[in-house]
Amino acid sequence: MNADGFTSFSREERKRAHEMRDHIIQYADARDAVGNAAIRIWQAGHEINHDTLMECLYDRLALSRTIGDEDSQAYLQLAISTLEFNKGRL
């Protein structure tokens, strides 16, 4: 224990904590991407459904690939994969 009464974390524990934080951030970014896509679809006056969400996300993914934004590509791909996995579920 260190002076404040808390145990110190090993390097491996800190590494795992950082990886968990990064995964949580990526899932939050994916969730936000779906929400933002729904807002853009609604503002354009279109129906929000699986097909329009997927189209919007694929457009954003193509743009992120064009500009080389790897972080955006990762969370957009996660959003697309999650929507595909949940297609048809209530």
Side-chain angles (χ1 to χ4, degrees):
M1 290 203 174
N2 48 9
D4 60 7
F6 294 102
T7 59
S8 61
F9 294 104
S10 70
R11 182 174 295 189
E12 185 62 32
E13 289 170 321
R14 285 192 305 268
K15 181 181 176 187
R16 281 195 309 255
H18 285 284
E19 288 172 355
M20 287 174 34
R21 181 202 62 199
D22 292 342
H23 287 296
I24 290 169
I25 290 170
Q26 194 172 43
Y27 276 100
D29 289 343
R31 179 203 61 210
D32 291 344
V34 174
N36 290 336
I39 290 169
R40 283 192 300 278
I41 294 165
W42 176 76
Q43 287 176 333
H46 302 288
E47 178 182 354
I48 301 169
N49 58 40
H50 183 268
D51 293 336
T52 56
L53 282 171
M54 294 299 287
E55 181 181 344
C56 188
L57 290 171
Y58 274 119
D59 287 347
R60 301 292 289 184
L61 181 60
L63 176 62
S64 67
R65 285 180 176 158
T66 300
I67 63 175
D69 186 352
E70 292 180 11
D71 290 334
S72 294
Q73 290 176 45
Y75 72 75
L76 287 166
Q77 190 60 54
L78 177 60
I80 290 167
S81 298
T82 303
L83 281 177
E84 280 296 323
F85 178 75
N86 289 311
K87 184 176 182 176
R89 295 180 183 203
L90 293 176

